[in-house]
Amino acid sequence: MADDHTVVGRVVAITDAIAAAAGPLTLAALTHGTGIPKPTVRRIANDLVRHHVLEATPAGYRLGPRLSYYGFRAGRAGGLSVVVPPYLRDLSLRAHDEVSWCGEFFRGELDFRQLVFGHEYRADIKSQTWPSRALLGPSFALTAGGRLQTAFDDALSERLSQTGCRPLTRHSATAPRELRLLLEQARATGLAYEREQVTPGWSCVAAVILDAEERPLGVIGLTGRSSVAAQRSTQRALIAAADAIGRELRSARRGPRVIE
C-alpha cells in the first residue's frame, strides 16, 4: 500500500505489512515496506503497541492481542473463521487427511485463512509458500482457487483469455483458448480442479463460496499428493460444503428471527 499521508492510511499500511509478514518486522523493514518515513513509522508503531494493537519483540513488531479480540468479535457475527472449521475437518477426513483449506477474497487477493491437514503434511505446510496473485501474476489462475477468482472477475477473465499466462510446470494449461474454456467451466460450475499444473506431484480442487447476490466471498478447497481430489465424490462433497457455508453466512448476517 502506498503512503497516502493520512494518519488512518498509515496505521492501516503498517498493520497490513506486519499481518502479511511471516514473522516480526523490524523498524527498518516496516519503513522500507510501507514507504513511510522512519520517525513516523516508529511513532505510529509505538502508539499501536501502547494500545495493544501491536506487540514489540526483540525481533521486531508483530500483531497484538487487541486484533485477536477484534477477530473474535467479527467471527461471532458469523464470519468464515467461525463457520468454516467443521466443514474443513469433515473434508479432510473424507479425503484421508489431505489438506483442506479456506480462503477469503480481500483486496484483489485470495487470503488463506484456515487449514486442516493430516500429520504427513506437517513438514510440507511449514515449508511451502501459499500461492497468490502478487507472487504468480496471471499464472495464479493455474491454481484451483486462483482460477475461480479469475473466473468470477469478468475483466480479468477476458484479459487472461486473450493473453494466456506463463507455465509453472510442464502440465500447465497456458494457451488462451484452453484457459478460456477452463475459466468458463469454473464460472458455470463453481468448481475448479488442477493436477500438477502448479507444483509437480500435487493436485487441488476448490469450490467458490457465494453470497446472496451470487458474488464470490471466498473459496474452500482440498490439496494433496493423492488422487482423492479428482474423485467425483470428493468434488460433490466440496460443492455441498461451499453451498452450506454460503447459506450459513447469509443466515448469520440476517440475524436471529423473532417469533411472535
Side-chain angles (χ1 to χ4, degrees), residues 6 20 51 55 73 98-99 105 112 125 178 185 192 206 227 229:
T6 68
H51 288 85
E55 284 186 344
R73 296 290 296 182
E98 298 282 80
V99 182
F105 296 129
F112 291 92
I125 295 301
E178 190 174 13
Q185 183 181 45
S227 61

Side-chain angles (χ1 to χ4, degrees), residues 20-139:
L25 283 185
T26 63
L27 180 62
L30 266 177
T31 301
H32 176 75
T34 61
I36 301 171
K38 188 173 183 179
T40 305
V41 173
R42 181 189 292 111
R43 174 176 56 78
I44 292 175
N46 289 338
D47 282 344
L48 293 174
V49 168
R50 282 191 286 274
H51 288 85
H52 310 293
V53 174
L54 301 180
E55 284 186 344
T57 75
Y61 295 98
R62 66 184 181 190
L63 299 181
R66 185 179 289 269
L67 291 179
S68 297
Y69 169 74
Y70 288 157
F72 171 75
R73 296 290 296 182
R76 288 184 62 185
L80 283 174
S81 60
V82 168
V83 172
V84 164
Y87 297 96
L88 293 183
R89 289 192 291 270
D90 179 66
L91 286 168
S92 184
L93 287 173
R94 282 174 177 266
H96 310 300
D97 291 335
E98 298 282 80
V99 182
S100 62
W101 52 268
C102 180
E104 187 171 8
F105 296 129
F106 179 67
R107 292 174 58 190
E109 283 286 2
L110 180 57
D111 184 13
F112 291 92
R113 295 284 184 172
Q114 300 185 51
L115 303 171
V116 174
F117 50 89
H119 178 75
E120 65 179 288
Y121 285 106
R122 187 180 301 274
D124 291 309
I125 295 301
K126 289 180 67 176
S127 63
Q128 292 287 334
T129 299
W130 281 86
S132 66
R133 177 167 287 124
L135 181 66
L136 299 179
S139 298

